[in-house]
């Protein structure tokens, strides 16, 4: 039986109701599956392109004359500003004055036209007082002062600190007159030490070379953190007392720098590999750094950042003609520039 016209009309309406397009609505249709596939293909294509380009690399041209030494090492400076409470109420004048305490080339070069102290003054634009002495170490040789054994212990940091903080220089005067009556460099150090106006002093720079290692001074005594004959004890003892007496004075510890060693047979050795009985040279350096960190005073890294194992041959006089660690003119200049940088790092302290 054939469908009637009415039945055909009903079927056509039902088809349209269930989404079958009429002839005039038929044409291009957007398919979500096609879009997703196209997006995936596009992402994969971009990824493959970037991977190929990355794998091919980039041509880099190196300048053989460029100084890249700054990228070869990690400098361990810890230069920190003073706390405002330390200098609250203190009246600073317009002149920045710096006291240098140390040994070796800092002391001996003061009599030369271009001594290390003068280079520091010029580089930093400050007034410098050089109260360093030729041969003492950061740590004392003896636990207590034994004059007949080693009178120059009186010029080590802790005894200088006692004189600075009390204003009593009589013992230093007595030892100097008795043992260094003709010692021009030592006499100059004592005179300078007594000349400084500590009420108007701005900065103290403590800078001892590697003599503590070469003279086999002890690094620390775990039972006494202020023992004079250890480098840790010397720093603890001195910095704590200076801070108490002159809280407005900024303290900078300028670390030892690298140089090689020569044994009794004349053989050159690396002190950063040879334990002399208390550790290698870097053990001394890191203990200085850690002590300064605990005391919250500035620390200037010369061991890696100034005169290090890679460049020391041009900065240290290796002729061995002196009985102390002597610097070349270039060595003094590079050290002076670094110390000047540390001195002027926080001018707001004034």
């Amino acid at each position: 039986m054939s469908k009637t016209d009415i039945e055909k009309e009903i079927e056509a309406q039902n088809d349209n109701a269930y989404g079958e397009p009429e002839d005039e609505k038929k044409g291009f249709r957007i398919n979500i599956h096609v879009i997703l596939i196209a997006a995936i293909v596009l992402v994969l294509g971009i990824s493959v392109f970037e991977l190929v380009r990355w794998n091919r690399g980039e041509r880099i041209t190196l300048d053989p004359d460029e100084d890249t030494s700054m990228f070869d090492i990690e400098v361990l400076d810890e230069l920190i500003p003073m706390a405002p409470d330390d200098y609250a109420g203190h009246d600073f004048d317009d002149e920045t004055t710096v006291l240098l305490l140390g040994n070796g080339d800092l002391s001996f070069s003061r009599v030369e036209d271009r001594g290390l102290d003068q280079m520091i003054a010029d580089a930093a634009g400050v007034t410098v007082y050089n109260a360093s002495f030729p041969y003492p170490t950061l740590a004392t040789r003896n636990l207590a002062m034994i004059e007949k054994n080693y009178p120059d212990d009186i010029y080590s940091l802790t005894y200088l600190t006692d004189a600075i903080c009390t204003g009593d220089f009589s013992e230093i005067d007595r030892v100097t007159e008795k043992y260094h009556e003709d010692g021009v460099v030592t006499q100059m150090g004592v005179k300078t030490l007594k000349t400084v106006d500590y009420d108007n002093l701005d900065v103290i720079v403590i800078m001892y070379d590697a003599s503590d290692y070469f003279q086999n001074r002890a690094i620390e005594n775990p039972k006494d953190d202020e023992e004079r004959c250890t480098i840790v004890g010397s720093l603890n003892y001195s910095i704590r007392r200076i801070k108490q007496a002159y809280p407005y004075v900024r303290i900078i510890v300028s670390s030892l720098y690298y140089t090689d060693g020569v044994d009794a047979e004349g053989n050159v050795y690396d002190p950063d590999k040879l334990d002399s009985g208390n550790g290698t040279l870097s053990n001394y350096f890191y203990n200085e750094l850690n002590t300064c960190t605990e005391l919250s005073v500035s620390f200037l890294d010369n061991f890696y950042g100034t005169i290090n194992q890679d460049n020391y041959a041009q900065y240290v006089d290796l002729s061995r003609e002196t009985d102390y660690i002597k610097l070349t003119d270039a060595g003094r200049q590079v050290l002076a520039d670094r110390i000047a940088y540390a001195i002027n790092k926080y001018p707001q302290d004034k």
Side-chain angles (χ1 to χ4, degrees):
M1 183 175 67
S2 61
K3 295 181 179 179
T4 64
D5 293 337
I6 294 176
E7 291 173 337
K8 292 179 180 180
E9 180 66 23
I10 292 173
E11 288 179 358
Q13 291 177 358
N14 288 339
D15 288 342
N16 287 335
Y18 286 97
E20 290 295 332
E22 297 179 2
D23 290 342
E24 64 270 21
K25 293 183 180 180
K26 290 181 180 180
F28 178 76
R29 297 171 56 193
I30 298 176
N31 192 310
I32 189 64
H33 300 292
V34 174
I35 295 175
L36 290 175
I37 293 173
I40 293 172
V41 171
L42 179 61
V43 170
L44 288 174
I46 294 174
S47 299
V48 171
F49 173 77
E50 293 293 338
L51 180 61
V52 171
R53 188 175 69 169
W54 175 83
N55 191 54
R56 183 182 301 167
E58 179 181 356
R59 181 180 296 275
I60 298 177
T61 303
L62 297 178
D63 181 359
D65 298 323
E66 182 180 3
D67 181 11
T68 60
S69 59
M70 68 182 71
F71 305 110
D72 297 336
I73 55 176
E74 179 182 359
V75 179
L76 301 178
D77 290 348
E78 288 196 4
L79 304 179
I80 57 177
M82 292 178 63
D85 290 344
D86 291 336
Y87 53 87
H90 180 73
D91 294 327
F92 291 100
D93 56 23
D94 295 330
E95 180 183 19
T96 298
T97 56
V98 179
L99 174 64
L100 305 178
L101 302 176
N103 64 352
D105 195 79
L106 176 63
S107 180
F108 281 108
S109 68
R110 60 157 38 104
V111 297
E112 300 182 22
D113 292 337
R114 291 289 291 162
L116 178 54
D117 52 0
Q118 186 59 51
M119 289 183 174
I120 294 171
D122 292 344
V126 298
T127 299
V128 166
Y129 295 96
N130 185 359
S132 61
F133 294 88
Y135 298 112
T137 47
L138 177 59
T140 59
R141 176 181 292 185
N142 300 306
L143 179 59
M145 182 67 183
I146 305 177
E147 185 177 323
K148 64 180 180 180
N149 177 273
Y150 188 62
D152 276 18
D153 260 351
I154 198 68
Y155 308 118
S156 293
L157 181 62
T158 53
Y159 288 108
L160 296 183
T161 296
D162 287 339
I164 290 171
C165 293
T166 63
D168 182 2
F169 301 95
S170 59
E171 188 66 8
I172 292 178
D173 280 335
R174 186 189 66 78
V175 171
T176 302
E177 291 173 5
K178 183 176 181 179
Y179 297 96
H180 297 285
E181 184 179 2
D182 299 324
V184 175
V185 176
T186 299
Q187 294 276 358
M188 293 174 68
V190 174
K191 182 179 179 180
T192 301
L193 195 67
K194 298 190 297 182
T195 301
V196 176
D197 180 1
Y198 293 95
D199 289 334
N200 288 313
L201 185 64
D202 298 302
V203 182
I204 292 178
V205 178
I206 300 170
M207 46 184 305
Y208 288 82
D209 59 25
S211 295
D212 283 88
Y213 166 84
F214 290 114
Q215 296 186 36
N216 205 23
R217 301 289 187 257
I219 290 180
E220 66 175 333
N221 179 358
K223 295 183 179 180
D224 183 0
D225 73 346
E226 290 191 351
E227 188 167 277
R228 292 176 186 261
C229 59
T230 69
I231 63 167
V232 171
S234 177
L235 286 172
N236 278 328
Y237 180 96
S238 302
I239 292 173
R240 286 168 181 166
R241 280 155 182 77
I242 292 172
K243 276 189 166 186
Q244 184 176 15
Y246 307 104
Y248 50 84
V249 174
R250 185 176 177 218
I251 300 173
I252 301 171
V253 175
S254 180
S255 84
L256 56 84
Y257 46 85
Y258 183 88
T259 185
D260 59 21
V262 180
D263 62 21
E265 288 73 36
N267 301 310
V268 177
Y269 66 90
D270 179 3
D272 201 27
K273 293 181 179 179
L274 178 64
D275 185 338
S276 63
N278 291 295
T280 64
L281 190 57
S282 59
N283 292 138
Y284 284 76
F285 167 79
Y286 279 108
N287 275 276
E288 286 184 14
L289 169 60
N290 294 337
T291 303
C292 292
T293 300
E294 293 175 1
L295 293 170
S296 298
V297 296
S298 291
F299 179 83
L300 183 67
D301 170 13
N302 296 311
F303 187 68
Y304 295 110
T306 311
I307 302 176
N308 55 55
Q309 195 167 1
D310 294 328
N311 65 21
Y312 78 97
Q314 62 180 309
Y315 295 140
V316 178
D317 185 345
L318 301 178
S319 65
R320 322 288 182 186
E321 295 177 352
T322 62
D323 54 356
Y324 64 95
I325 302 172
K326 184 178 181 180
L327 295 172
T328 64
D329 287 341
R332 291 171 185 165
Q333 189 63 64
V334 71
L335 191 58
D337 289 341
R338 286 274 288 152
I339 294 170
Y341 157 74
I343 291 172
N344 292 324
K345 176 67 174 177
Y346 292 106
Q348 68 268 30
D349 283 356
K350 293 200 73 174

